[in-house]
């Protein structure tokens, strides 16, 4: 299933945050959205997931979600959004319960997803016992278990330290290689974008418009920390964003 | 240019952190009670506290013993506990229900918050005559008084607690397509539970105060009636015995809530 944004504009009151955005997220690809802070990239993601209504334009689903999909558009949040009173297993079963999946059937698919995200030993731990990286793994497991058509990832690694971020990027690449998923991935970290994105969409500062779309053909599995070709793309992206980022930074001061 | 500072012996960095972190010190509370009661006992025995100022703690204990042996303790305590249980559970249940509704629905909030604010400061004891007219002189008016007194603080605590539930968790629930009812039951209520329980601590203490007030105004049996009778006779031993029972009741209720908190809120650390 693809997602298509058709001429999306969005305002909060008098503040225009997004202007005329048209964009496709094709099946089996990771599309990264980068841009200076406050450019509306997280808003764009919430519009895609139906958590907010665009002021103008439409968000379209093209094609049917895959077999056994419980929640076509599934978020992974920056702050993990785990229920602190539920264990790891409880947090994952939360999203199955409403679909009537309980008991032994739920247990077996939860065990399977925990194994895929390297969490098998932590099923009965509470979120407060887990490190940030582990918490985000739980959130990823919770997103995978509903078999989403599109994963909407809102700065999923931004709350983590840089070492954990590297490890989790490797895990995401491994997960994607094993079973390609479709994702819209919002980040302000260009290194993440060039490691994970098949397509990188650069947004301008507020009101956010698409400045450039960069395609990276190199397979995810072949990309590594500090690749020279990736670094040149990253430099190019930074060149696009540098002035915007500075202007956005100064703009906040006189708001 | 000044001379370089003369070389001095190294000074150890003075520790200035620490504090501001209360730790459990269980026995201290017990010691405070024992010291106070011992002072009272010694004072009344030696005579620098006159028998009119304070009763001898040992006499209070003896009165308590008599109360126990004569079966009067049960006769007074049973109806009081019944009134407290019925009144407080009605008040707390309705209070939590209304508080959750206020927390969830804009119109209910806009309509009821001013009403609750208007009801909260009314001394509920002042309304007892009204309750007697509405519900009759017997048990129903006492239930109503206790329920009403428990209701307002529970409502305020509950909707405050619902307001404080992390919105990002609710958005998460919506983003996974959870039903409205599931979100309330699995995200809002557990998230509000810490606030609701700490509100209940206050509500239940108020319930005990109102229990005694209601019984003082018209009851044959009950702790309040017992204390009122002792007070009007200036029988300090019995008065104190009654007061001790109330204090114990308060401590026990607080311990019960502590137990519930440990069970339900174990996830907090």
């Amino acid at each position: 299933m693809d997602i298509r944004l058709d001429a999306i504009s969005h305002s909060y009151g008098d503040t225009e945050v997004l202007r005329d955005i048209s964009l496709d997220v094709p099946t089996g690809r990771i599309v990264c959205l980068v841009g200076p802070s406050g450019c509306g990239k997280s808003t764009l993601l919430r519009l895609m997931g139906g958590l907010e209504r665009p002021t103008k334009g439409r968000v379209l689903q093209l094609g049917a979600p895959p077999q056994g999909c419980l929640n076509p558009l599934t978020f992974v949040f920056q702050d993990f959004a785990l229920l602190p009173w539920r264990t790891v297993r409880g947090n994952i079963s939360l999203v199955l319960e409403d679909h009537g999946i309980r008991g032994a059937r739920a247990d077996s698919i939860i065990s399977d997803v925990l194994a895929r995200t390297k969490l098998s030993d932590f099923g009965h731990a509470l979120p407060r016992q887990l490190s940030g990286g582990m918490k985000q793994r739980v959130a990823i497991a919770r997103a995978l278990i509903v078999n989403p058509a599109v994963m909407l990832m809102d700065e999923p690694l931004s709350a983590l330290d840089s070492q954990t971020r590297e490890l989790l990027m490797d895990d995401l690449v491994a997960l994607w290689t094993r079973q390609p998923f479709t994702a819209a991935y919002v980040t302000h970290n260009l290194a993440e974008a060039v490691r994970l994105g098949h397509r990188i969409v650069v947004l301008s500062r507020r009101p956010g418009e698409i400045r450039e779309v960069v395609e990276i053909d190199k397979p995810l599995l072949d990309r590594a920390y500090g690749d020279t070709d990736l670094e040149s793309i990253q430099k190019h992206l930074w060149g696009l964003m540098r002035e915007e980022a500075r202007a956005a930074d100064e703009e906040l001061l006189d708001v | 240019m000044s001379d370089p500072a003369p070389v001095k012996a190294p000074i150890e960095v003075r520790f200035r952190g620490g504090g501001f972190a209360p730790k459990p010190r269980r026995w201290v509370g017990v010691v405070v009670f024992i010291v106070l009661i011992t002072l009272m006992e010694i004072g009344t025995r030696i005579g620098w506290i006159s028998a009119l100022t304070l009763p001898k703690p040992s006499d209070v204990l003896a009165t308590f013993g008599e109360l126990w042996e004569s079966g009067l303790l049960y006769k007074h305590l049973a109806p009081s506990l019944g009134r407290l249980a019925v009144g407080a559970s009605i008040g707390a249940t309705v209070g939590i229900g209304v508080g959750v509704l206020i927390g969830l629905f804009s119109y209910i909030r806009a309509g009821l918050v001013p009403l609750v604010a208007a009801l909260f400061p009314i001394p509920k004891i002042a309304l007892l005559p009204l309750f007697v007219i509405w519900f009759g002189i017997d048990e129903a008016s006492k239930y109503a008084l206790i329920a009403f007194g428990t209701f307002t603080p529970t409502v305020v605590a509950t909707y405050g607690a619902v307001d404080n539930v992390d919105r990002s968790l609710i958005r998460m629930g919506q983003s996974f397509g959870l039903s409205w009812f599931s979100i309330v039951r699995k995200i809002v209520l557990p998230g509000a539970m810490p606030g609701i329980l700490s509100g209940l601590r206050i509500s239940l203490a108020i319930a005990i105060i109102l229990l005694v007030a209601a019984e003082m105004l018209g009851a044959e049996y009950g702790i309040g009636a017992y204390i009122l009778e002792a007070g009007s006779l200036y029988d300090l031993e019995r008065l104190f015995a009654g007061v001790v029972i109330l204090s114990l009741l308060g401590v026990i209720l607080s311990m019960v809530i502590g137990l519930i908190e440990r069970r339900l809120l174990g996830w907090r650390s």
Side-chain angles (χ1 to χ4, degrees), chain B residues 17-86:
Chain B
F20 297 99
K23 296 183 190 70
R25 296 273 186 267
R26 262 170 207 225
W27 41 269
V28 177
V30 181
V31 169
V32 169
F33 272 107
I34 291 174
V35 167
L36 273 181
I37 292 168
T38 317
L39 278 178
M40 275 165 67
E41 183 71 33
I42 294 171
T44 41
R45 271 179 196 273
I46 292 177
W48 37 269
I49 302 175
S50 82
L52 274 177
T53 325
L54 275 180
K56 253 187 245 168
S58 51
D59 286 350
V60 174
L61 193 70
T63 315
F64 205 81
E66 280 166 29
L67 205 56
W68 173 268
E69 273 166 18
S70 62
L72 270 176
L73 180 69
Y74 177 77
K75 231 173 181 173
H76 285 297
L77 201 53
S80 283
L81 287 179
R83 286 165 194 149
L84 189 66
V86 175

Side-chain angles (χ1 to χ4, degrees), chain A residues 51 71 73-75 77 79-86 91 94-95 97-99 102 126 128 139 142-143 146, chain B residues 165-166 168-169 171-180 182 185-188 190-192 264 266-269:
Chain A
L51 288 184
N71 187 48
L73 305 170
T74 297
F75 277 88
F77 298 95
D79 60 359
F80 322 126
L82 300 176
L83 303 184
W85 49 88
R86 286 196 177 214
N91 264 289
L94 172 79
V95 301
E97 287 159 14
D98 266 31
H99 298 280
R102 289 159 198 279
L126 285 167
R128 72 175 154 86
R142 180 179 63 189
V146 296
Chain B
V165 173
D166 191 349
S168 68
L169 293 180
R171 293 281 168 272
M172 181 277 291
Q174 292 177 321
S175 81
F176 278 95
L178 266 59
S179 67
W180 182 87
S182 279
R185 194 163 62 88
K186 295 170 185 170
I187 300 177
V188 175
L264 289 183
W267 51 270
R268 282 199 304 188
S269 95

Side-chain angles (χ1 to χ4, degrees), chain A residues 173-189:
Chain A
V173 170
L175 282 170
W176 188 88
T177 313
R178 203 180 132 152
Q179 189 181 25
F181 52 83
T182 317
Y185 188 110
V186 165
T187 181
H188 62 256
N189 184 319

Side-chain angles (χ1 to χ4, degrees), chain B residues 3-208:
Chain B
D3 296 323
V7 181
K8 275 204 237 161
I11 304 168
E12 198 175 335
V13 170
R14 188 172 57 88
F15 174 68
R16 49 186 175 171
F20 297 99
K23 296 183 190 70
R25 296 273 186 267
R26 262 170 207 225
W27 41 269
V28 177
V30 181
V31 169
V32 169
F33 272 107
I34 291 174
V35 167
L36 273 181
I37 292 168
T38 317
L39 278 178
M40 275 165 67
E41 183 71 33
I42 294 171
T44 41
R45 271 179 196 273
I46 292 177
W48 37 269
I49 302 175
S50 82
L52 274 177
T53 325
L54 275 180
K56 253 187 245 168
S58 51
D59 286 350
V60 174
L61 193 70
T63 315
F64 205 81
E66 280 166 29
L67 205 56
W68 173 268
E69 273 166 18
S70 62
L72 270 176
L73 180 69
Y74 177 77
K75 231 173 181 173
H76 285 297
L77 201 53
S80 283
L81 287 179
R83 286 165 194 149
L84 189 66
V86 175
S89 28
I90 294 174
T93 315
V94 178
I96 291 173
V98 172
V100 170
L101 291 177
I102 289 178
L104 292 176
F105 298 106
S106 311
Y107 277 102
I108 297 182
R109 166 179 304 241
L112 290 189
V113 167
L115 184 66
V116 171
L119 293 178
F120 207 166
I122 299 174
K124 309 299 179 293
I125 301 165
L127 295 180
L128 190 66
L130 189 68
F131 284 134
V132 170
I133 296 170
W134 286 357
F135 301 104
I137 189 77
D138 53 356
E139 297 301 298
S141 58
K142 297 181 183 67
Y143 295 155
L145 182 77
I146 297 168
F148 192 43
T150 335
F151 169 76
T152 34
T154 311
V155 169
V156 173
T158 304
Y159 83 72
V162 172
D163 286 350
N164 277 330
V165 173
D166 191 349
R167 295 294 120 166
S168 68
L169 293 180
I170 295 176
R171 293 281 168 272
M172 181 277 291
Q174 292 177 321
S175 81
F176 278 95
L178 266 59
S179 67
W180 182 87
F181 189 68
S182 279
I183 290 177
V184 172
R185 194 163 62 88
K186 295 170 185 170
I187 300 177
V188 175
L189 283 182
M193 202 45 84
I196 293 176
L197 286 178
S198 62
L200 272 187
R201 272 181 195 277
I202 298 168
S203 310
L204 291 182
I206 292 175
I208 297 178

Side-chain angles (χ1 to χ4, degrees), chain A residues 1 3 48-49 61 63-66 69-75 99 143 146-152 182, chain B residues 175-177:
Chain A
M1 191 184 94
I3 290 273
M48 285 164 96
Q61 302 184 15
C69 169
L70 300 176
N71 187 48
L73 305 170
T74 297
F75 277 88
H99 298 280
V146 296
N147 215 344
V150 180
M151 292 239 266
L152 303 168
T182 317
Chain B
S175 81
F176 278 95

